[in-house]
Amino acid sequence: MSLTDKAIARIRRMIRDGELLPGSKLPPEQQLAAELGLSRNLMREAVKALVVARVLEIRRGDGTYVTSLAPGLLLEGLGGAVELLQGDTVLELTEVRRLFEPAATALAATRITDEDLAEVARHLAAMRDARDDIELLTRHDAAFHQAVVRATGNETLATLLEHISGRTLRARVWRGLADADAAGRTITEHQAILDALVARDPNLAQAAALLHINTTERWLRDHLAEGAEFPAAAGPRPDPSAPDSPAITDRPSPTEERGA
């Protein structure tokens, strides 16, 4: 471990042990360096690294602060890491999604509010209207699932699934473009998920979500096994006319709605 890594670890330990609380201001650089037995150069390098990791933030003219340490902030880098995965990882990510999202949908069924249901239903209605436009349909498909996961009230779970699901978007667009019947089946499967959520039935919600994700995974697995080439650059185009429904690209931002 380098000296800089040791300095980073010591600051992280201070945060973990409660010596530095979320939102608190760090002591002046010289004082903190002396307290930790570090040189000022090492302290600067450690602070820079923790700023990149969204653990610290520098406020010009004010000082360095611990961030909110919220899951959505600290896990933001996960999306970039997932994006850089090499090889045939889309199937692995789809498997991870299959393991997590049905359980999240079941949890949502026990916590979802009428307002949440209205948002989910709005995206399903938009999917029906866009059934002849695969890219637009997929964007609302993604927003549908993100709304469901957000209804769990579990920010950590929502953030993890957001980044994992975002990497599988191109596969779902590919299926929609290649399979003429995909749009109709997808809408039917989403209706089943919504019906289970309306009924507040966690078992039914989990089963409906599992069936839906399995359908996409099976299609993808079969086509890759047949030698089909996964498209290197395919994804829904931005829809500037819908500012409340963020665009999905090959690399969705952490604030974009994802799922599907």
Side-chain angles (χ1 to χ4, degrees):
M1 180 182 288
S2 70
L3 291 176
T4 301
D5 288 337
K6 290 181 179 179
I8 293 170
R10 295 182 75 169
I11 297 174
R12 289 172 64 94
R13 185 163 55 249
M14 291 177 69
I15 295 172
R16 187 178 63 247
D17 294 344
E19 296 178 52
L20 292 172
L21 299 173
S24 63
K25 184 177 181 179
L26 267 66
E29 179 184 275
Q30 186 173 0
Q31 177 186 335
L32 185 58
E35 289 177 0
L36 296 179
L38 303 170
S39 70
R40 294 184 68 175
N41 284 338
L42 275 179
M43 179 59 60
R44 289 194 191 102
E45 290 301 314
V47 167
K48 287 179 183 178
L50 290 170
V51 167
V52 172
R54 310 303 295 272
V55 174
L56 301 177
E57 61 176 332
I58 297 174
R59 301 177 188 175
R60 291 187 179 279
D62 190 6
T64 302
Y65 287 77
V66 180
T67 66
S68 66
L69 304 179
L73 187 66
L74 294 181
L75 296 174
E76 190 173 292
L78 178 62
V82 169
E83 179 197 1
L84 295 175
L85 291 174
Q86 300 294 303
D88 190 20
T89 54
V90 67
L91 278 174
E92 292 185 1
L93 291 170
T94 303
E95 288 178 347
V96 173
R97 183 180 174 227
R98 172 168 48 81
L99 292 171
F100 279 90
E101 193 165 319
T105 306
L107 182 60
T110 68
R111 297 179 176 178
I112 198 163
T113 65
D114 290 342
E115 184 179 355
D116 294 331
L117 283 171
E119 182 182 359
V120 174
R122 178 174 67 84
H123 288 298
L124 179 56
M127 288 172 64
R128 285 198 174 91
D129 291 340
R131 63 183 304 149
D132 294 325
D133 184 337
I134 295 302
E135 295 182 351
L136 181 57
L137 184 150
T138 303
R139 181 161 57 82
H140 283 290
D141 182 348
F144 175 102
H145 288 280
Q146 188 61 23
V148 171
V149 177
R150 285 177 180 168
T152 65
N154 186 319
E155 185 181 358
T156 301
L157 179 61
T159 303
L160 288 170
L161 277 172
E162 181 179 2
H163 293 307
I164 291 168
S165 296
R167 184 67 164 77
T168 68
L169 285 176
R170 285 189 291 119
R172 301 200 297 280
V173 174
W174 180 31
R175 178 193 172 209
L177 293 172
D179 184 350
D181 297 326
R185 287 199 300 269
T186 293
I187 291 171
T188 298
E189 291 165 3
H190 282 74
Q191 181 65 61
I193 295 172
L194 177 58
D195 290 345
L197 293 172
V198 170
R200 266 77 173 187
D201 187 328
N203 294 326
L204 188 58
Q206 182 166 357
L210 180 59
L211 174 64
H212 169 57
I213 298 171
N214 268 339
T215 300
T216 300
E217 182 183 351
R218 185 170 58 251
W219 186 93
L220 179 61
R221 192 177 297 279
D222 289 346
H223 280 68
L224 290 176
E226 291 171 0
E229 184 176 349
F230 186 74
R237 293 186 301 270
D239 178 16
S241 67
D244 61 330
S245 298
I248 294 174
T249 64
D250 286 345
R251 185 188 184 280
S253 75
T255 57
E256 288 177 330
E257 294 178 322
R258 311 184 193 33

